[in-house]
Amino acid sequence: MAEASFPDQTEDKGDDFLKEALEILMLDVVKGTDRNNKVCEWMEPEELLSILDLKLQNHGEPKDVLLGYCRDIIRFSVKTGHPRFFNQLFSGLDRHALTGRILTEALNTSQYTYEVAPVFVLMEEEVLRTLRHFIGWESGDGIFCPGGSLSNMYAINIARFHCFPHCKGTGLSSLPRLVIFTSQESHYSVTKGAAFTGIGMDNVIHVLTDDRGKMVPEDLDEKIQKAKSEGSVPFLVSATCGTTVVGSFDPLQGLADVCEHHGVWLHVDAAWGGSALLSNKHRHLLDGINRADSVAWNPHKMLAAGLHCSAFLLRDTTGLLKRCHAANAKYLFQTDKFYNLEYDTGDKSIQCGRRVDCLKLWLMWKALGSEGLEKRVDGALSHTRYLVEEMRKREGFILVMEPEFVNLCFWYVPPSLRCQQGSPDYWDRLGKVAPLIKERMIKKGSMMVGYQPHGNRVNFFRQVVVNPESTKDDLDFFLNEIERLGVDL
Ligand SMILES: *Cc1c(COP(=O)(O)O)cnc(C)c1O
Ligand SMILES: *[C@@H]1O[C@H](CO)[C@@H](O)[C@H](O)[C@H]1NC(C)=O
């Protein structure tokens, strides 16, 4: 008879490795936030491949070699926590949130049932409750999603289910032509979500925006009427608070009036701008958000909670989220469990296993309090103000528009192009400036900032200071560095 074979219990489990790797993590990752070090260490892909030994092999490797890999991984990764990393809508290394992320990884559980995630089921509810409170809802529902894009897709699915509950069973063939309304400035996940949910990208109708990038309620009203007269069913308006490029806020009161009048679900994509709700000074930007039916809000962006931390929140108190998504798997959500089944929240999700995303935010919130988070938001907005004022004092910095939030959009006009506005190739040449300056800063490793063309505008920089560790000196450095890197263009 063949003997059962068990794994060798004497093999090295890697306890020493873990201890030393955590030390490297503490030292090297935290060193990445030191402004005396580079933001990034640029390598061409071939060069990087020749330095890093990425090949997976038959044999295992010893501890010291593995620790070397860990150091190299840190060395050649972009330091997103660096105070001069302005490239994305996130930046910074909050030590409490980081601890929450490490704990989450170490405990390696899934958020679906109270049975396997007792603490996190209760914690998620508390965090969601608090976020809803800042929206102005004292009741409601919600769930953490892997990102704002997914939260927006949830909104599409929920709004459709709300109008046509039978479609969960009968599918698309039972539905009329459904249409979504959003602005030109909205995030691409709205159209992506329309494709994913079977609504179709052609059935996303773009509403006009004003010169500040804000949706025009009168145009929304007209377009809803027109769609209805053509036999389509408008079922969702996706407004944006804090658009991705220019940071504009749609006028929610006006949009809510139109949605109420037509009986259409109002979703607010506040993935980026939602954190302004924590600031008494700036929450007016989202005036009317309490009238929304659902909201997407990413604490992983402005609050620096770390990826992923994105909440999808609903005003509904009837259990719509669960009714819309539940599949009642008998092996996971048994109905004869010994505890209150209300605490098995996993069937609200379209996922099965779901990462714990609440702990990093919860721990950071406990450490800073709402007051500390408010200071972060206020700090980010005042940094942007400072940069605007400094740009006005310097030659060559042209604002694309006065910032409403922390998206500071500007062109840098190098000396050779100044006073050339009349020449026919002026805009073509200006459009080449940002990519060149960007290439130079990355190769030097001095800082990182994003650029893009937008509508009919040629490439401009989008500067975003959300890192709580960025100082006035970093902002001065930013302006000086753009001048240094662009002076000869
Ligand atoms: C970033 C962003 C999203 C997408 O969020 P992810 O978490 O990256 O998926 C959606 N909407 C807006 C307005 C955003 O700025
Ligand atoms: C984490 O949990 C998953 C199941 O959810 C399991 O497959 C995996 O082996 C666990 N990993 C570690 C490192 O414990």
Side-chain angles (χ1 to χ4, degrees):
M1 221 169 73
E3 256 179 64
S5 113
F6 290 94
D8 175 10
Q9 295 290 329
T10 60
E11 79 183 59
D12 175 18
K13 294 194 187 66
D15 286 338
D16 291 341
F17 169 75
L18 175 63
K19 200 165 148 245
E20 288 176 48
L22 283 174
E23 269 160 29
I24 291 175
L25 189 149
M26 287 309 305
L27 284 174
D28 289 17
V29 173
V30 173
K31 240 189 263 164
T33 64
D34 181 344
R35 57 180 59 70
N36 298 314
N37 297 325
K38 288 182 173 188
V39 176
C40 56
E41 181 129 1
W42 172 255
M43 298 267 165
E44 294 294 337
E46 305 75 39
E47 212 181 338
L48 191 54
L49 276 172
S50 74
I51 296 178
L52 292 181
D53 181 6
L54 293 182
K55 205 159 169 43
L56 297 172
Q57 303 165 108
N58 250 336
H59 61 272
E61 296 181 52
K63 186 186 79 181
D64 290 338
V65 177
L66 299 176
L67 292 172
Y69 293 147
C70 294
R71 286 198 188 89
D72 284 347
I73 290 165
I74 297 172
R75 172 159 174 224
F76 295 110
S77 289
V78 172
K79 309 304 181 295
T80 59
H82 195 287
R84 293 171 187 169
F85 176 80
F86 307 113
N87 207 63
Q88 249 67 43
L89 299 183
F90 63 85
S91 176
L93 184 73
D94 182 278
R95 311 306 195 263
H96 298 101
L98 174 64
T99 306
R101 299 206 294 277
I102 296 171
L103 263 177
T104 301
E105 288 299 334
L107 291 171
N108 189 37
T109 195
S110 177
Q111 183 82 58
Y112 34 51
T113 60
Y114 185 79
E115 180 178 327
V116 291
V119 176
F120 300 129
V121 164
L122 301 178
M123 185 183 283
E124 179 172 72
E125 199 36 56
E126 169 61 16
V127 176
L128 293 172
R129 195 191 60 72
T130 308
L131 294 176
R132 281 196 303 264
H133 167 78
F134 281 91
I135 290 174
W137 298 335
E138 294 314 321
S139 60
D141 205 346
I143 193 163
F144 274 95
C145 291
S149 298
L150 257 290
S151 297
N152 289 339
M153 293 183 198
Y154 267 66
I156 296 175
N157 205 40
I158 288 276
R160 176 172 59 188
F161 177 76
H162 176 66
C163 282
F164 300 99
H166 66 270
C167 83
K168 184 176 177 187
T170 53
L172 299 183
S173 58
S174 66
L175 295 173
R177 180 184 176 223
L178 302 180
V179 285
I180 297 173
F181 299 83
T182 194
S183 85
Q184 212 80 49
E185 299 288 320
S186 69
H187 191 258
Y188 64 81
S189 54
V190 178
T191 37
K192 223 181 227 238
F196 186 71
T197 52
I199 301 291
M201 289 166 68
D202 295 347
N203 295 319
V204 177
I205 298 178
H206 286 109
V207 180
L208 291 180
T209 51
D210 64 14
D211 56 359
R212 307 284 333 242
K214 293 166 179 284
M215 205 195 290
V216 178
E218 294 74 21
D219 189 57
L220 173 65
D221 189 39
E222 277 170 32
K223 290 206 158 105
I224 290 181
Q225 287 184 37
K226 181 159 179 286
K228 281 183 171 171
S229 72
E230 292 165 356
S232 301
V233 179
F235 75 106
L236 171 68
V237 171
S238 185
T240 315
C241 281
T243 59
T244 312
V245 178
V246 299
S248 51
F249 287 71
D250 285 342
L252 298 181
Q253 297 287 13
L255 298 178
D257 289 343
V258 176
C259 288
E260 269 170 27
H261 175 74
H262 291 285
V264 176
W265 185 280
L266 176 60
H267 172 65
V268 177
D269 174 3
W272 174 221
S275 298
L277 288 169
L278 294 167
S279 160
N280 281 310
K281 198 162 158 206
H282 300 292
R283 57 171 300 132
H284 67 87
L285 289 167
L286 299 105
D287 183 39
I289 194 166
N290 56 313
R291 296 175 66 191
D293 294 292
S294 60
V295 171
W297 177 355
N298 281 6
H300 71 225
K301 285 183 168 171
M302 194 177 226
L303 301 182
L307 289 163
H308 289 125
C309 191
S310 170
F312 175 64
L313 301 150
L314 291 121
R315 190 163 47 133
D316 172 77
T317 52
T318 70
L320 193 63
L321 185 59
K322 188 164 178 187
R323 283 203 308 287
C324 180
H325 295 137
N328 303 309
K330 293 280 178 302
Y331 69 91
L332 192 58
F333 303 109
Q334 299 89 336
T335 52
D336 51 2
K337 287 192 188 180
F338 60 92
Y339 58 84
N340 183 347
L341 297 173
E342 297 273 299
Y343 291 100
D344 284 358
T345 49
D347 231 8
K348 292 181 183 182
S349 170
I350 56 167
Q351 296 170 259
C352 170
R354 188 162 61 90
R355 263 177 82 86
V356 172
D357 282 335
C358 57
L359 172 56
K360 51 205 158 202
L361 178 58
W362 180 87
L363 196 53
M364 181 171 79
W365 206 308
K366 276 283 190 193
L368 297 174
S370 310
E371 296 166 358
L373 296 175
E374 175 175 25
K375 278 200 193 114
R376 277 198 184 166
V377 174
D378 289 349
L381 276 113
S382 69
H383 281 151
T384 305
R385 271 289 112 212
Y386 174 78
L387 280 171
V388 169
E389 279 155 29
E390 289 304 300
M391 282 185 182
R392 291 225 167 87
K393 294 182 198 155
R394 298 181 188 226
E395 254 187 287
F397 289 90
I398 313 285
L399 291 184
V400 173
M401 65 175 73
E402 188 68 27
E404 186 173 9
F405 196 41
V406 294
N407 305 44
L408 179 52
C409 298
F410 70 95
W411 287 285
Y412 176 69
V413 186
S416 71
L417 268 181
R418 289 179 203 158
C419 311
Q420 304 257 327
Q421 270 93 329
S423 88
D425 61 350
Y426 175 77
W427 289 105
D428 274 351
R429 286 165 66 196
L430 185 57
K432 298 198 170 79
V433 171
L436 280 169
I437 293 182
K438 174 93 184 227
E439 177 180 350
R440 289 176 173 184
M441 72 177 72
I442 287 198
K443 290 192 168 158
K444 196 173 157 194
S446 56
M447 61 184 196
M448 284 177 73
V449 62
Y451 74 83
Q452 65 284 299
H454 187 58
N456 51 15
R457 296 178 175 114
V458 300
N459 282 324
F460 55 83
F461 286 112
R462 180 195 63 178
Q463 212 284 1
V464 181
V465 201
V466 287
N467 190 331
E469 288 182 54
S470 299
T471 61
K472 179 173 164 299
D473 284 349
D474 294 316
L475 305 183
D476 292 335
F477 176 90
F478 173 81
L479 296 170
N480 295 335
E481 185 72 353
I482 294 268
E483 285 175 347
R484 272 193 294 269
L485 298 172
V487 70
D488 62 331
L489 294 177

mmCIF file of all heavy atoms in Angstrom, residues 10-40:
data_model
loop_
_atom_site.group_PDB
_atom_site.id
_atom_site.type_symbol
_atom_site.label_atom_id
_atom_site.label_comp_id
_atom_site.label_asym_id
_atom_site.label_seq_id
_atom_site.Cartn_x
_atom_site.Cartn_y
_atom_site.Cartn_z
ATOM 1 N N THR A 10 9.976 20.056 8.839
ATOM 2 C CA THR A 10 11.197 20.649 9.400
ATOM 3 C C THR A 10 11.776 21.726 8.485
ATOM 4 O O THR A 10 12.719 22.397 8.846
ATOM 5 C CB THR A 10 12.278 19.581 9.623
ATOM 6 O OG1 THR A 10 12.572 19.002 8.350
ATOM 7 C CG2 THR A 10 11.806 18.522 10.586
ATOM 8 N N GLU A 11 11.183 21.881 7.287
ATOM 9 C CA GLU A 11 11.772 22.854 6.364
ATOM 10 C C GLU A 11 11.654 24.274 6.932
ATOM 11 O O GLU A 11 10.788 24.557 7.758
ATOM 12 C CB GLU A 11 11.096 22.774 4.996
ATOM 13 C CG GLU A 11 9.756 23.489 4.959
ATOM 14 C CD GLU A 11 9.045 23.334 3.615
ATOM 15 O OE1 GLU A 11 8.774 22.178 3.218
ATOM 16 O OE2 GLU A 11 8.765 24.350 2.992
ATOM 17 N N ASP A 12 12.553 25.137 6.487
ATOM 18 C CA ASP A 12 12.596 26.514 6.958
ATOM 19 C C ASP A 12 11.338 27.261 6.502
ATOM 20 O O ASP A 12 11.068 27.383 5.314
ATOM 21 C CB ASP A 12 13.849 27.186 6.373
ATOM 22 C CG ASP A 12 13.900 28.657 6.731
ATOM 23 O OD1 ASP A 12 13.191 29.064 7.680
ATOM 24 O OD2 ASP A 12 14.647 29.394 6.062
ATOM 25 N N LYS A 13 10.547 27.729 7.453
ATOM 26 C CA LYS A 13 9.315 28.439 7.101
ATOM 27 C C LYS A 13 9.588 29.889 6.736
ATOM 28 O O LYS A 13 8.709 30.611 6.291
ATOM 29 C CB LYS A 13 8.331 28.392 8.263
ATOM 30 C CG LYS A 13 7.799 27.018 8.581
ATOM 31 C CD LYS A 13 6.582 27.141 9.495
ATOM 32 C CE LYS A 13 6.117 25.783 9.968
ATOM 33 N NZ LYS A 13 7.113 25.116 10.846
ATOM 34 N N GLY A 14 10.789 30.338 6.994
ATOM 35 C CA GLY A 14 11.143 31.701 6.607
ATOM 36 C C GLY A 14 10.909 32.734 7.692
ATOM 37 O O GLY A 14 10.715 33.910 7.388
ATOM 38 N N ASP A 15 10.899 32.319 8.952
ATOM 39 C CA ASP A 15 10.681 33.289 10.032
ATOM 40 C C ASP A 15 11.758 34.376 10.060
ATOM 41 O O ASP A 15 11.459 35.558 10.229
ATOM 42 C CB ASP A 15 10.619 32.583 11.391
ATOM 43 C CG ASP A 15 9.300 31.838 11.582
ATOM 44 O OD1 ASP A 15 8.324 32.203 10.887
ATOM 45 O OD2 ASP A 15 9.248 30.894 12.391
ATOM 46 N N ASP A 16 13.027 33.964 9.883
ATOM 47 C CA ASP A 16 14.107 34.958 9.885
ATOM 48 C C ASP A 16 13.983 35.881 8.681
ATOM 49 O O ASP A 16 14.196 37.093 8.774
ATOM 50 C CB ASP A 16 15.490 34.270 9.831
ATOM 51 C CG ASP A 16 15.763 33.551 11.140
ATOM 52 O OD1 ASP A 16 15.100 33.891 12.147
ATOM 53 O OD2 ASP A 16 16.618 32.636 11.140
ATOM 54 N N PHE A 17 13.637 35.264 7.547
ATOM 55 C CA PHE A 17 13.467 36.068 6.337
ATOM 56 C C PHE A 17 12.412 37.147 6.567
ATOM 57 O O PHE A 17 12.608 38.319 6.253
ATOM 58 C CB PHE A 17 13.064 35.172 5.161
ATOM 59 C CG PHE A 17 12.612 35.943 3.973
ATOM 60 C CD1 PHE A 17 13.529 36.611 3.169
ATOM 61 C CD2 PHE A 17 11.257 36.046 3.665
ATOM 62 C CE1 PHE A 17 13.112 37.362 2.086
ATOM 63 C CE2 PHE A 17 10.834 36.800 2.590
ATOM 64 C CZ PHE A 17 11.764 37.457 1.786
ATOM 65 N N LEU A 18 11.284 36.735 7.147
ATOM 66 C CA LEU A 18 10.187 37.673 7.381
ATOM 67 C C LEU A 18 10.658 38.837 8.253
ATOM 68 O O LEU A 18 10.396 40.006 7.956
ATOM 69 C CB LEU A 18 9.024 36.941 8.054
ATOM 70 C CG LEU A 18 7.832 37.808 8.473
ATOM 71 C CD1 LEU A 18 7.165 38.454 7.266
ATOM 72 C CD2 LEU A 18 6.796 36.974 9.226
ATOM 73 N N LYS A 19 11.384 38.510 9.310
ATOM 74 C CA LYS A 19 11.835 39.536 10.237
ATOM 75 C C LYS A 19 12.773 40.538 9.543
ATOM 76 O O LYS A 19 12.604 41.756 9.649
ATOM 77 C CB LYS A 19 12.563 38.852 11.407
ATOM 78 C CG LYS A 19 12.655 39.717 12.623
ATOM 79 C CD LYS A 19 13.048 38.892 13.843
ATOM 80 C CE LYS A 19 13.855 39.756 14.775
ATOM 81 N NZ LYS A 19 15.238 39.327 14.942
ATOM 82 N N GLU A 20 13.717 39.994 8.788
ATOM 83 C CA GLU A 20 14.673 40.882 8.124
ATOM 84 C C GLU A 20 14.017 41.658 6.984
ATOM 85 O O GLU A 20 14.338 42.828 6.746
ATOM 86 C CB GLU A 20 15.882 40.086 7.623
ATOM 87 C CG GLU A 20 16.765 39.641 8.794
ATOM 88 C CD GLU A 20 17.931 38.762 8.345
ATOM 89 O OE1 GLU A 20 18.611 39.142 7.375
ATOM 90 O OE2 GLU A 20 18.141 37.705 8.969
ATOM 91 N N ALA A 21 13.092 41.010 6.281
ATOM 92 C CA ALA A 21 12.412 41.698 5.177
ATOM 93 C C ALA A 21 11.597 42.867 5.723
ATOM 94 O O ALA A 21 11.550 43.947 5.120
ATOM 95 C CB ALA A 21 11.519 40.725 4.418
ATOM 96 N N LEU A 22 10.979 42.668 6.892
ATOM 97 C CA LEU A 22 10.193 43.758 7.482
ATOM 98 C C LEU A 22 11.097 44.925 7.877
ATOM 99 O O LEU A 22 10.713 46.088 7.766
ATOM 100 C CB LEU A 22 9.393 43.263 8.686
ATOM 101 C CG LEU A 22 8.138 42.461 8.342
ATOM 102 C CD1 LEU A 22 7.489 41.890 9.592
ATOM 103 C CD2 LEU A 22 7.129 43.293 7.557
ATOM 104 N N GLU A 23 12.316 44.602 8.308
ATOM 105 C CA GLU A 23 13.261 45.676 8.630
ATOM 106 C C GLU A 23 13.635 46.474 7.382
ATOM 107 O O GLU A 23 13.695 47.701 7.400
ATOM 108 C CB GLU A 23 14.528 45.101 9.278
ATOM 109 C CG GLU A 23 14.405 45.041 10.786
ATOM 110 C CD GLU A 23 15.385 44.065 11.412
ATOM 111 O OE1 GLU A 23 16.470 43.845 10.836
ATOM 112 O OE2 GLU A 23 15.037 43.510 12.478
ATOM 113 N N ILE A 24 13.883 45.739 6.298
ATOM 114 C CA ILE A 24 14.213 46.424 5.030
ATOM 115 C C ILE A 24 13.038 47.301 4.616
ATOM 116 O O ILE A 24 13.208 48.455 4.205
ATOM 117 C CB ILE A 24 14.505 45.383 3.918
ATOM 118 C CG1 ILE A 24 15.803 44.664 4.229
ATOM 119 C CG2 ILE A 24 14.551 46.052 2.554
ATOM 120 C CD1 ILE A 24 16.128 43.548 3.266
ATOM 121 N N LEU A 25 11.853 46.738 4.768
ATOM 122 C CA LEU A 25 10.652 47.483 4.405
ATOM 123 C C LEU A 25 10.599 48.794 5.191
ATOM 124 O O LEU A 25 10.419 49.873 4.628
ATOM 125 C CB LEU A 25 9.437 46.606 4.709
ATOM 126 C CG LEU A 25 8.073 47.072 4.237
ATOM 127 C CD1 LEU A 25 7.231 45.857 3.931
ATOM 128 C CD2 LEU A 25 7.379 47.921 5.256
ATOM 129 N N MET A 26 10.799 48.686 6.492
ATOM 130 C CA MET A 26 10.752 49.879 7.330
ATOM 131 C C MET A 26 11.778 50.906 6.882
ATOM 132 O O MET A 26 11.489 52.078 6.731
ATOM 133 C CB MET A 26 11.039 49.519 8.798
ATOM 134 C CG MET A 26 9.937 48.793 9.501
ATOM 135 S SD MET A 26 8.394 49.651 9.310
ATOM 136 C CE MET A 26 8.877 51.259 9.933
ATOM 137 N N LEU A 27 13.014 50.436 6.655
ATOM 138 C CA LEU A 27 14.092 51.379 6.335
ATOM 139 C C LEU A 27 13.976 51.903 4.908
ATOM 140 O O LEU A 27 13.905 53.109 4.672
ATOM 141 C CB LEU A 27 15.452 50.695 6.532
ATOM 142 C CG LEU A 27 15.866 50.536 7.994
ATOM 143 C CD1 LEU A 27 17.141 49.722 8.099
ATOM 144 C CD2 LEU A 27 16.062 51.916 8.633
ATOM 145 N N ASP A 28 13.952 50.975 3.937
ATOM 146 C CA ASP A 28 14.058 51.404 2.548
ATOM 147 C C ASP A 28 12.805 52.089 2.030
ATOM 148 O O ASP A 28 12.886 53.051 1.282
ATOM 149 C CB ASP A 28 14.419 50.211 1.642
ATOM 150 C CG ASP A 28 15.868 49.769 1.869
ATOM 151 O OD1 ASP A 28 16.441 50.161 2.913
ATOM 152 O OD2 ASP A 28 16.416 49.058 1.018
ATOM 153 N N VAL A 29 11.641 51.567 2.422
ATOM 154 C CA VAL A 29 10.417 52.203 1.932
ATOM 155 C C VAL A 29 10.269 53.581 2.554
ATOM 156 O O VAL A 29 9.950 54.557 1.884
ATOM 157 C CB VAL A 29 9.168 51.328 2.211
ATOM 158 C CG1 VAL A 29 7.895 52.069 1.854
ATOM 159 C CG2 VAL A 29 9.241 50.033 1.417
ATOM 160 N N VAL A 30 10.552 53.694 3.830
ATOM 161 C CA VAL A 30 10.436 54.999 4.477
ATOM 162 C C VAL A 30 11.488 55.969 3.924
ATOM 163 O O VAL A 30 11.230 57.149 3.738
ATOM 164 C CB VAL A 30 10.506 54.854 6.015
ATOM 165 C CG1 VAL A 30 10.561 56.204 6.690
ATOM 166 C CG2 VAL A 30 9.287 54.069 6.513
ATOM 167 N N LYS A 31 12.673 55.423 3.586
ATOM 168 C CA LYS A 31 13.710 56.261 2.945
ATOM 169 C C LYS A 31 13.193 56.873 1.631
ATOM 170 O O LYS A 31 13.629 57.937 1.221
ATOM 171 C CB LYS A 31 14.946 55.409 2.641
ATOM 172 C CG LYS A 31 16.215 55.894 3.342
ATOM 173 C CD LYS A 31 17.420 55.140 2.809
ATOM 174 C CE LYS A 31 17.793 53.985 3.712
ATOM 175 N NZ LYS A 31 18.694 53.012 3.056
ATOM 176 N N GLY A 32 12.283 56.161 0.990
ATOM 177 C CA GLY A 32 11.710 56.653 -0.269
ATOM 178 C C GLY A 32 10.896 57.919 -0.112
ATOM 179 O O GLY A 32 10.516 58.548 -1.095
ATOM 180 N N THR A 33 10.599 58.308 1.123
ATOM 181 C CA THR A 33 9.851 59.554 1.324
ATOM 182 C C THR A 33 10.807 60.714 1.626
ATOM 183 O O THR A 33 10.365 61.829 1.872
ATOM 184 C CB THR A 33 8.862 59.425 2.508
ATOM 185 O OG1 THR A 33 9.624 59.223 3.709
ATOM 186 C CG2 THR A 33 7.917 58.255 2.333
ATOM 187 N N ASP A 34 12.105 60.438 1.633
ATOM 188 C CA ASP A 34 13.097 61.473 1.946
ATOM 189 C C ASP A 34 13.393 62.287 0.683
ATOM 190 O O ASP A 34 13.809 61.740 -0.333
ATOM 191 C CB ASP A 34 14.368 60.765 2.449
ATOM 192 C CG ASP A 34 15.459 61.757 2.827
ATOM 193 O OD1 ASP A 34 15.362 62.952 2.435
ATOM 194 O OD2 ASP A 34 16.409 61.335 3.503
ATOM 195 N N ARG A 35 13.172 63.590 0.763
ATOM 196 C CA ARG A 35 13.314 64.419 -0.431
ATOM 197 C C ARG A 35 14.753 64.497 -0.946
ATOM 198 O O ARG A 35 14.987 64.949 -2.052
ATOM 199 C CB ARG A 35 12.726 65.815 -0.236
ATOM 200 C CG ARG A 35 13.287 66.606 0.923
ATOM 201 C CD ARG A 35 12.639 67.977 1.024
ATOM 202 N NE ARG A 35 11.179 67.943 1.199
ATOM 203 C CZ ARG A 35 10.549 67.531 2.293
ATOM 204 N NH1 ARG A 35 11.218 67.052 3.335
ATOM 205 N NH2 ARG A 35 9.244 67.581 2.367
ATOM 206 N N ASN A 36 15.723 64.034 -0.137
ATOM 207 C CA ASN A 36 17.103 64.006 -0.637
ATOM 208 C C ASN A 36 17.352 62.819 -1.561
ATOM 209 O O ASN A 36 18.384 62.747 -2.214
ATOM 210 C CB ASN A 36 18.087 63.949 0.530
ATOM 211 C CG ASN A 36 17.959 65.187 1.384
ATOM 212 O OD1 ASN A 36 17.899 66.297 0.846
ATOM 213 N ND2 ASN A 36 17.854 65.008 2.691
ATOM 214 N N ASN A 37 16.427 61.884 -1.586
ATOM 215 C CA ASN A 37 16.557 60.749 -2.492
ATOM 216 C C ASN A 37 15.713 60.971 -3.736
ATOM 217 O O ASN A 37 14.819 61.807 -3.753
ATOM 218 C CB ASN A 37 16.136 59.460 -1.777
ATOM 219 C CG ASN A 37 17.051 59.163 -0.602
ATOM 220 O OD1 ASN A 37 18.245 59.431 -0.661
ATOM 221 N ND2 ASN A 37 16.483 58.640 0.475
ATOM 222 N N LYS A 38 16.023 60.147 -4.764
ATOM 223 C CA LYS A 38 15.298 60.305 -6.023
ATOM 224 C C LYS A 38 13.858 59.803 -5.916
ATOM 225 O O LYS A 38 13.559 58.902 -5.135
ATOM 226 C CB LYS A 38 16.001 59.496 -7.109
ATOM 227 C CG LYS A 38 17.314 60.076 -7.575
ATOM 228 C CD LYS A 38 17.829 59.171 -8.684
ATOM 229 C CE LYS A 38 19.064 59.735 -9.346
ATOM 230 N NZ LYS A 38 19.406 58.914 -10.525
ATOM 231 N N VAL A 39 12.978 60.370 -6.750
ATOM 232 C CA VAL A 39 11.594 59.911 -6.829
ATOM 233 C C VAL A 39 11.540 58.590 -7.597
ATOM 234 O O VAL A 39 10.732 57.714 -7.309
ATOM 235 C CB VAL A 39 10.714 60.959 -7.544
ATOM 236 C CG1 VAL A 39 9.294 60.454 -7.724
ATOM 237 C CG2 VAL A 39 10.706 62.261 -6.773
ATOM 238 N N CYS A 40 12.404 58.482 -8.606
ATOM 239 C CA CYS A 40 12.409 57.260 -9.412
ATOM 240 C C CYS A 40 13.810 57.063 -9.965
ATOM 241 O O CYS A 40 14.607 58.004 -10.027
ATOM 242 C CB CYS A 40 11.396 57.355 -10.554
ATOM 243 S SG CYS A 40 11.644 58.773 -11.632
#
